[in-house]
Amino acid sequence: MYRIASKSRTLASSALRSKRIAINANNTSSKLRNNTSIKQSCMIRPLSTVSNITSTTNNNNKKGTNYDLSSKRFKSAEPIFDEVYETVPEAPFKKLLAANRGEIATRIMRASSELGIASAGIYSHEDRFTQHRYKADQAFLLATSKSPVAAYLDIDTIVQICKDNNVEAVHPGYGFLSENEKFAAALERNGIKFVGPTVENLRQFGDKTSAKELAIAMDVPVIAGSDDAFPSWNEARDWIRQNTTYPVIVKAAMGGGGRGIRVVPSEEDLEGQFIVASNEAKNAFGDGRCFIEKYVDKPRHIEVQCLGDGSGDVIHIWDRDCSVQRRHQKVVETAPAMDLPPATRQAMLDDAVRLLSYAKYRNAGTVEFLVDKSGNH
């Protein structure tokens, strides 16, 4: 979406840079400055055609401006469109902080700008030259005494930054603290809105072992595995010996994005693979505990996207196939999932909605399923 410039020279400069031109209509910019939130439509055309659409009006009726390539100056012109859109709702927050980095933080800041919300960012010393620092209206340096990843997991510092700079809401993006109920609770205690699920939702679903317990209670199929997460490989080994056989898969209790996942084909491989998965989870999410599941060979990874209002009213917006992965991270998503038996698809949709409705889930959420070669999920 193009912004309507407040001055003619600004409009011309923008048009020349982008090779497109926006036609201002009926003094829209002054209305925006008066905060009436009325936006009028504008025509965008390549510069090569602008001289062909320029028209003059009498001096008593200047409704808009056009750029004339032949004279390289603005002339008065009739607006090409004069249609009024509906009033834009008032922004829910005055300032929002993106508690993340890189492309994720940049997207949050762009959305904030489009909604008329001032954006704030955080960055580690190592990220001082990255894009997300400069895309924010304000950017704050995190603790330099911590590692580049640990800096973004520093709850106390991030909350203090919010308090000191009148931040009203925090969007965590994904990864880092996005599923950390302690972070959401700390913000809530200080009167700062966490843009995401409720603290109780995070408590239920942020820890995969507790989420699994909830799924079992709601009769949603789960993969056979441990009820608890283990802090050490020795405890995991003892549980495997008593409850299942190899191969198994080690999974981080917290977080997501393929971090902290390792396949263990035999007991001889358990120690090394568990330690690698645990360290990866600790560095990414601040929690190195891992749980054990029976390994499913070459399954399909099917996700169901849902939206919940926090009162138990949940809808699904269908499914997608995320089976093409590299290092347990999705590379390609196909929506809807192809060649999925209708009964299997409907069962997964129903299970996802039932689970999140029971938890009174708020926000967008994804319920992930594995489908084996027999079509069981």
Side-chain angles (χ1 to χ4, degrees):
M1 180 180 293
Y2 279 73
R3 294 180 181 276
I4 298 177
S6 59
K7 294 183 178 179
S8 296
R9 61 177 177 270
T10 306
L11 183 59
S13 174
S14 175
L16 290 171
R17 285 196 305 271
S18 64
K19 297 187 184 298
R20 290 181 178 273
I21 184 76
I23 306 301
N24 190 12
N26 290 342
N27 198 20
T28 304
S29 58
S30 65
K31 292 182 180 180
L32 291 176
R33 287 197 300 271
N34 293 332
N35 199 28
T36 59
S37 298
I38 302 293
K39 290 186 177 180
Q40 290 188 312
S41 57
C42 62
M43 168 65 80
I44 300 172
R45 293 191 182 182
L47 275 176
S48 60
T49 66
V50 171
S51 59
N52 297 328
I53 64 171
T54 302
S55 62
T56 59
T57 61
N58 61 59
N59 294 331
N60 297 324
N61 188 28
K62 294 182 179 180
K63 289 189 176 182
T65 55
N66 253 337
Y67 189 75
D68 188 342
L69 287 181
S70 60
S71 63
K72 295 188 178 179
R73 69 169 183 264
F74 277 82
K75 290 184 175 182
S76 59
E78 292 287 345
I80 295 179
F81 293 112
D82 194 17
E83 179 181 339
V84 179
Y85 290 105
E86 63 183 42
T87 302
V88 178
E90 184 179 353
F93 316 113
K94 292 181 180 178
K95 186 187 292 186
L96 180 142
L97 182 139
N100 216 297
R101 65 178 298 277
E103 176 263 349
I104 306 167
T106 301
R107 288 168 59 187
I108 296 169
M109 294 163 188
R110 183 177 63 192
S112 296
S113 177
E114 291 174 355
L115 293 170
I117 303 171
S119 63
I122 52 176
Y123 63 96
S124 66
H125 175 73
E126 292 77 8
D127 277 345
R128 63 192 182 279
F129 300 122
T130 56
Q131 183 186 53
H132 78 272
R133 175 187 176 184
Y134 299 101
K135 287 294 184 180
D137 296 323
Q138 290 179 293
F140 304 98
L141 178 64
L142 294 167
T144 56
S145 60
K146 297 181 179 292
S147 71
V149 174
Y152 289 98
L153 299 173
D154 188 351
I155 294 175
D156 293 338
T157 298
I158 296 173
V159 172
Q160 192 61 50
I161 287 172
C162 293
K163 292 169 61 179
D164 293 344
N165 296 279
N166 301 315
V167 172
E168 296 182 359
V170 171
H171 194 309
Y174 56 85
F176 289 125
L177 296 170
S178 63
E179 298 180 22
N180 191 307
E181 55 100 2
K182 293 180 181 179
F183 181 51
L187 292 172
E188 191 175 84
R189 286 194 301 270
N190 288 278
I192 302 166
K193 187 72 173 178
F194 179 80
V195 181
T198 65
V199 173
E200 181 59 27
N201 290 156
L202 292 173
R203 188 174 293 119
Q204 292 172 316
F205 294 107
D207 184 328
K208 295 184 182 68
T209 55
S210 64
K212 187 174 180 178
E213 292 173 0
L214 183 60
I216 293 172
M218 293 307 299
D219 198 29
V220 175
V222 298
I223 299 172
S226 61
D227 295 330
D228 300 313
F230 306 111
S232 69
W233 73 272
N234 308 78
E235 295 175 72
R237 178 198 60 198
D238 295 340
W239 184 89
I240 294 170
R241 286 177 175 177
Q242 297 176 17
N243 295 277
T244 189
T245 58
Y246 292 90
V248 298
I249 188 166
V250 177
K251 290 185 177 181
M254 306 295 291
R259 302 288 186 88
I261 299 178
R262 290 295 185 277
V263 177
V264 183
S266 66
E267 185 171 303
E268 289 73 24
D269 303 299
L270 178 62
E271 179 180 2
Q273 296 293 65
F274 189 99
I275 291 174
V276 170
S278 179
N279 288 341
E280 189 175 47
K282 178 69 174 178
N283 291 332
F285 313 117
D287 189 337
R289 295 176 304 129
C290 295
F291 65 100
I292 305 297
E293 284 185 344
K294 183 63 179 174
Y295 178 63
V296 181
D297 185 39
K298 297 180 181 178
R300 294 182 67 181
H301 181 137
I302 309 295
E303 298 181 351
V304 177
Q305 184 71 62
C306 296
L307 299 172
D309 66 358
S311 69
D313 189 7
V314 175
I315 63 169
H316 70 76
I317 44 179
W318 301 99
D319 54 271
R320 55 180 179 258
D321 191 326
C322 309
S323 302
V324 180
Q325 300 186 2
R326 180 176 182 268
R327 296 178 180 175
H328 306 292
Q329 291 184 314
K330 296 172 284 187
V331 177
V332 177
E333 297 184 352
T334 305
M338 303 298 290
D339 299 322
L340 193 64
T344 301
R345 172 178 280 113
Q346 190 60 52
M348 288 192 295
L349 297 176
D350 294 342
D351 286 342
V353 170
R354 186 171 70 256
L355 177 63
L356 297 187
S357 295
Y358 177 78
K360 291 183 170 56
Y361 190 82
R362 184 190 73 192
N363 208 42
T366 304
V367 182
E368 301 180 358
F369 297 92
L370 293 182
V371 180
D372 65 18
K373 296 175 182 178
S374 302
N376 302 311
H377 75 285

